[in-house]
Amino acid sequence: MTGSRSFAGPSAVPVRQAPEGRPGGGPGGAKPFRIAVFASGSGSNFQAIADEIQAGRLDVKLELLVCDRPQAKVVERAARAGVPSFVFRARDYPSREACETEILQKLRARQIDLVVLAGYMRILTGTLVEPYYGRMINIHPSLLPSFPGVNGIRQALEYGVKQTGVTVHFVDGGMDTGPIIAQKAVEVLDDDTEESLARRIHAAEHELFPQVIRWLSEGRVRLEGRRVRLVTKS
């Protein structure tokens, strides 16, 4: 789930392509492609990304975790992975905008190239969305535009669809309405429960999310209005 306030979406800022790739850690001392992951819960997608980096299959630098819940398991995962965390309580700020202004300062200080929303349950405002439009992505557990918002897995199961899946999309001014980068279908079985379907959905997320981050780090994603085009790796 993701959404934002006080930002009109793609028409509110100049549409620009996703950032050009800057592989990290490669020969010649190339500048690393820096990402920040925002998460609120257990952090299974954070872990999937960290594991791909550790295995050498994803050539980016996981620079920062942003979390709004100090007791969330993802904070422990970040500590074990040696990833710095910015952990906060929303009630300590007078407004969402004030909180996001501090987050934005931390992103800029670390020269973050891509913001990755991985189970971050706070609604964002234009304070963060606008400066990172085209450089902020979210993963959602359905084949958007079907079943946006919370409980996407439950919505699909209750509606009776035969296929659902996961979507990675750019973040704009709406609730899971940003331009779609990639999707992966997951079959809904006759005897599925919400828990059994969720296990396969999460497995698909853990495969698709690092792949999309890889494409972005390689400069292969082009954002053209609402259409997203994947170009051949040079």
Side-chain angles (χ1 to χ4, degrees), residues 12 63 80 109 114 130 146 217:
E63 186 75 26
R80 287 198 300 269
L114 181 69
E130 185 167 352
S146 296
S217 73

Side-chain angles (χ1 to χ4, degrees), residues 64 101-112 127-128 130-132 135:
L64 182 68
T101 295
E102 183 172 0
I103 295 172
L104 183 60
Q105 291 170 350
K106 294 184 180 298
L107 298 178
R108 287 174 168 166
R110 292 180 176 273
Q111 299 181 305
I112 298 300
T127 301
L128 269 180
E130 185 167 352
Y132 270 91
R135 298 186 297 147

